[in-house]
Each structure stands twice: as structure tokens, then as C-alpha cells.
Amino acid sequence: MVERQVRTNSPEETEALAAAFGRSLPWGTVVALFGDLGAGKTVFARGLARGLGVSEAVSSPTFTLVKEYPLADGRWLYHLDLYRVDNSEAALAFGVDEYIFCQEAVTLLEWPERVEDLLPPGARRIHIRRDGESSRLISGTDVDGV
Ligand code: ADP
Ligand code: MG
């Protein structure tokens, strides 16, 4: 396992990186996006959605918890924002497992620490850190291009 780190210098660069990352993912992958408020998790999610062919606008489902994007081949991108969810018990109460264990989807989690004990062993953990006004450090394990 190789931990890699990349610096991006604009939201567009983060989106492009995430789009390339998204295109290489096997179905059933959970992408866990760690980072503080404003780090760029939703920007990353937007790029990943583009990479999977989503054309509709992508914003964080902060109040709805989950947004489901149908993809061309009948599969799904699930985008969850767990900021307002206390813990995995609360997440299971709304059926988070249906998303996390779906093999016909890529499932993206903002605030995955809320459900740390539910993350599958193969989850791709990405950390985004602010490193200046428009600079971000993006790191992950065994990630090509991230
Ligand atoms: P989060 O979802 O982690 O709370 P957002 O993605 O909603 O954060 O917001 C990130 C903010 O940081 C946006 O306003 C975006 O324009 C800005 N930003 C500046 N530079 C970058 C960068 N290199 N990558 C991603 N976002 C950036
Ligand atoms: Mg967000």
C-alpha cells in the first residue's frame, strides 16, 4: 500500500483530479472523504460525479443526507453528507447500509468518521487538507493521481 499526496491549486484542479479518480473505480466502491468544513469534499464529489458522467448540478446533500444520481448504464452514484448524523446507529436508522453495501453504485461519503465502524475494508479513504486560500493537500492510499 502506497500513501500518495498531491497538491491542487484551484477547485478546478481538484475536480479534474477527482474525475480521473472516479473513472478508475470498480463498482461497489465506497469513497470516504475526510476533511474539515470547507476543505473541498463537495468539490471533489462534484469532480468525481463528472468523471462518472453525471451532468446535473452536484451540491452537498447537507439536509437530505443523500443524493442519488442515476448513471447511463443503470448504476448509481450515491453522495452522502453525514455531518448531521451523530453516529453509525443513527445512520443505520435511515438505511445507510443500503448505500454503503450497494454493488451497483459508487458511494461517496462526506464526514465518514460518523460511520467509521461501518466502512468496508476496501473503502478508499481520501483526506483533503486546506493549505492556503486555494491550495489543498489531497492524500489517499494506493490512489493513482491522488
Ligand atoms: P467541504 O465539502 O469539504 O465542506 P466544499 O467543497 O463545499 O468543502 O468547499 C471548498 C471551498 O474551497 C470552495 O469554496 C472552493 O471553491 C474552495 N477551494 C479553494 N481552493 C480549492 C482547491 N484547491 N480544491 C478544492 N476547493 C477549493
Ligand atoms: Mg461538503
Side-chain angles (χ1 to χ4, degrees), residues 10-14 18 20 29-30 48 52 59-60 62 68 73-74 88 91 93 96 99 114 123 129 139 141:
S10 67
E12 292 75 21
E13 271 185 44
T14 297
T29 302
V30 172
L48 193 145
L52 293 178
S59 57
S60 208
T62 307
E68 306 181 357
D73 58 1
S88 53
V96 74
Y99 298 104
R114 303 283 196 266
R129 279 182 293 132
S139 59
T141 303

Side-chain angles (χ1 to χ4, degrees), residues 2 22 26 44 57 88 94-95 121 131 135 138 140:
V2 181
F44 190 99
S88 53
F94 85 79
D131 190 43
S135 178
I138 303 179

Side-chain angles (χ1 to χ4, degrees), residues 7-15 33-46 60 79 81 110-111 128 130 132-138:
R7 179 191 306 277
T8 64
N9 294 302
S10 67
E12 292 75 21
E13 271 185 44
T14 297
E15 280 195 38
L33 290 178
F34 295 88
D36 294 338
L37 271 176
K41 300 181 294 298
T42 299
V43 169
F44 190 99
R46 188 171 296 135
S60 208
H79 181 194
D81 183 338
E110 296 191 37
W111 299 98
I128 309 179
R130 197 175 185 281
E133 191 59 44
S134 51
S135 178
R136 301 291 186 271
L137 293 171
I138 303 179

Side-chain angles (χ1 to χ4, degrees), residues 29-92:
T29 302
V30 172
V31 180
L33 290 178
F34 295 88
D36 294 338
L37 271 176
K41 300 181 294 298
T42 299
V43 169
F44 190 99
R46 188 171 296 135
L48 193 145
R50 295 278 175 270
L52 293 178
V54 172
S55 52
E56 63 182 288
V58 172
S59 57
S60 208
T62 307
F63 295 99
T64 54
L65 298 183
V66 55
K67 184 91 208 295
E68 306 181 357
Y69 299 95
L71 304 174
D73 58 1
R75 290 188 264 215
W76 297 87
L77 170 64
Y78 297 138
H79 181 194
L80 283 78
D81 183 338
L82 302 174
Y83 184 64
R84 283 159 201 284
V85 175
D86 285 341
N87 51 37
S88 53
E89 194 186 344
L92 285 169

